[in-house]
Amino acid sequence: GIFVLGLPYALLHSGYSGLILIILAAALCCYTGKILIACLYEENEDGQLIRVRDTYEDIANACCKKLSPKLGGIVVNVTQVMELMMTCILYLVVSGNLLSHSFPYVPVTEKTWSVIAFVTLLPCVFIKTLKIVSKLSQLCSLVHFIIILVVMTYCLTQIHQWSWAKFRLSIEFEDFLVSVGVIIFSYTSQIFLPTLEGNMKNPGEFRCMLNRTHFFACVLKTTFALTAFLTWGEETKEVITDNLPSFLQTLVNLCLLTKALLSYPLPFFAATEIVYAFISKGSHSNYKSPLFALGVRGSFLLFTLLMAMFIPHFALLMGLTGSVTGAAMTFLLPSLFHLKLKWKKLSLLDKCVDISVFILGFLCSLSGIICSIKGLLEVFG
């Protein structure tokens, strides 16, 4: 995701520990992805694993059924929709920002550019299956590799300026927390995993797929962050593409715009499917009509545009939401659900690992909330 472009800046504030964090975050997110999917399965009388749950909501309901049959599902759905909604809004805001920077001489405001980007996303209301989303995501990955390639190629031309002395040994605690947030949330994908695993032709290959994707993501992110930081050192900016010469910036900005627009359908599809499924659970037949589904998608699309245009101090609010929902969906809930549903079958080591992940997620969430609220208080005076 777009968070990857902030990894060199994260290294600026975390030094050598940042390299360890990139590797550790990959391992932890891969692990929580596996235990989350494990919660979808139960053993039958013959000892075979059978998929008895389909969604994150089903897992939550199974854990909270003694308190309330639907309480867990409601909490998870609200959390998921909040994070997905904020992600969609972010892509619209980023699109408007990139367009205004790519065409500075055009007398159009950033909000107007966001509306123009919104128009290109209108076909999203007709997306009905994950197959279409997956093809768009493939194109998104291709564009992302082009961006990474351009940045790294330029960095390699500056290899004569590289110096390991640029790495910091001492770090500021608050700056370090910012780095932790950027690194961890560049790996998060737990929201999509139950749907993804359920749509695979061979779900038995899921664990292998998760291992390989996280391994290659870790290698790519480490290499990218390291080469970029060694090139610019203390001058490294929050979004590394801002460090590029002007003749490359326009090209990369247009690539980033394409990536943002291609990234939008995945969280949009996931969020609207959750909302539509929740509403259509009623017996009223009108709620299950194709026209009603179209209305849900259209309303959600319009809502993200309005929020992108009018929400104040978006970056800080996104950080606050991410600290609450991102840590919860990635670390807190998977480890908690796994302990609840599999407690009798887990070894002592597995229990210790799950508890450690839960504590780590809680600390990341708490520290992120404190930093975000502090930033909001400073902005509002």
Side-chain angles (χ1 to χ4, degrees):
I2 291 177
F3 269 123
V4 175
L5 299 175
L7 288 180
Y9 184 75
L11 283 189
L12 172 65
H13 292 294
S14 58
Y16 287 102
S17 60
L19 296 174
I20 299 172
L21 275 173
I22 293 175
I23 299 170
L24 182 62
L28 287 176
C29 289
C30 183
Y31 174 74
T32 56
K34 290 176 183 177
I35 62 174
L36 180 66
I37 297 304
C39 292
L40 297 173
Y41 290 84
E42 295 289 349
E43 287 187 3
N44 62 11
E45 296 177 355
D46 300 324
Q48 296 177 324
L49 289 175
I50 304 297
R51 200 178 204 262
V52 296
R53 304 176 189 100
D54 294 319
T55 63
Y56 216 138
E57 178 187 2
D58 294 337
I59 297 172
N61 283 332
C63 290
C64 300
K65 62 182 179 182
K66 290 184 179 179
L67 292 173
S68 173
K70 296 182 179 181
L71 175 63
I74 292 171
V75 172
V76 165
N77 281 339
V78 170
T79 306
Q80 285 188 98
V81 171
M82 279 179 61
E83 183 167 349
L84 292 166
M85 179 185 70
M86 294 300 282
T87 303
C88 290
I89 296 167
L90 174 64
Y91 286 135
L92 277 175
V93 172
V94 167
S95 297
N97 182 270
L98 289 170
L99 280 167
S100 65
H101 281 82
S102 299
F103 305 103
Y105 303 110
V106 179
V108 174
T109 64
E110 195 169 308
K111 288 183 178 181
T112 306
W113 280 122
S114 292
V115 174
I116 294 171
F118 167 79
V119 172
T120 66
L121 293 170
L122 287 176
C124 288
V125 297
F126 300 107
I127 294 176
K128 296 180 180 179
T129 66
L130 198 63
K131 286 185 177 180
I132 298 172
V133 178
S134 68
K135 289 177 181 178
L136 294 173
S137 295
Q138 281 183 322
L139 290 173
C140 176
S141 298
L142 178 62
V143 173
H144 192 68
F145 276 113
I146 292 172
I147 296 168
I148 299 293
L149 184 63
V150 169
V151 175
M152 290 188 65
T153 301
Y154 178 81
C155 290
L156 291 173
T157 64
Q158 307 297 312
I159 197 169
H160 58 279
Q161 299 179 4
W162 288 11
S163 172
W164 286 95
K166 295 177 181 179
F167 269 96
R168 300 166 64 179
L169 292 175
S170 61
I171 54 176
E172 294 291 333
F173 183 66
E174 285 193 15
D175 291 338
F176 178 73
L177 290 179
V178 173
S179 300
V180 171
V182 172
I183 291 170
I184 288 176
F185 294 121
S186 71
Y187 283 104
T188 56
S189 60
Q190 275 67 11
I191 288 178
F192 310 109
L193 294 184
T195 304
L196 180 63
E197 194 260 359
N199 281 273
M200 289 178 69
K201 288 184 178 180
N202 185 2
E205 295 179 350
F206 178 82
R207 292 176 68 89
C208 180
M209 178 276 291
L210 214 58
N211 287 334
R212 291 182 181 182
T213 50
H214 280 75
F215 172 77
F216 286 116
C218 179
V219 171
L220 177 64
K221 289 174 184 182
T222 304
T223 305
F224 174 73
L226 192 58
T227 54
F229 177 73
L230 288 173
T231 301
W232 287 288
E234 293 292 328
E235 296 178 1
T236 301
K237 297 182 180 179
E238 288 188 42
V239 180
I240 198 61
T241 52
D242 291 340
N243 283 101
L244 292 171
S246 57
F247 70 93
L248 282 177
Q249 267 193 39
T250 302
L251 171 65
V252 172
N253 280 346
L254 290 175
C255 288
L256 280 171
L257 171 65
T258 305
K259 175 179 170 51
L261 294 176
L262 289 172
S263 297
Y264 185 96
L266 180 58
F268 172 80
F269 176 80
T272 52
E273 284 294 293
I274 292 170
V275 173
Y276 178 67
F278 178 77
I279 296 174
S280 62
K281 279 181 180 177
S283 58
H284 203 294
S285 59
N286 288 341
Y287 289 162
K288 298 182 181 181
S289 69
L291 189 61
F292 180 75
L294 199 66
V296 170
R297 298 189 198 106
S299 300
F300 189 90
L301 191 68
L302 184 60
F303 180 73
T304 58
L305 173 66
L306 294 175
M307 291 287 284
M309 293 182 70
F310 298 112
I311 192 168
H313 310 297
F314 177 80
L316 290 171
L317 290 173
M318 183 67 185
L320 180 60
T321 306
S323 295
V324 177
T325 62
M329 302 300 290
T330 305
F331 295 120
L332 298 178
L333 295 182
S335 54
L336 189 63
F337 292 163
H338 194 235
L339 286 168
K340 173 69 176 176
L341 295 174
K342 307 290 183 180
W343 179 264
K344 294 181 180 179
K345 298 179 181 179
L346 293 177
S347 66
L348 179 61
L349 178 62
D350 291 333
K351 291 176 183 177
C352 289
V353 172
D354 283 356
I355 293 170
S356 299
V357 170
F358 181 86
I359 294 171
L360 179 64
F362 177 77
L363 292 175
C364 287
S365 180
L366 182 63
S367 59
I369 290 169
I370 292 171
C371 287
S372 298
I373 291 176
K374 184 179 178 181
L376 282 169
L377 291 174
E378 288 176 356
V379 167
F380 286 109

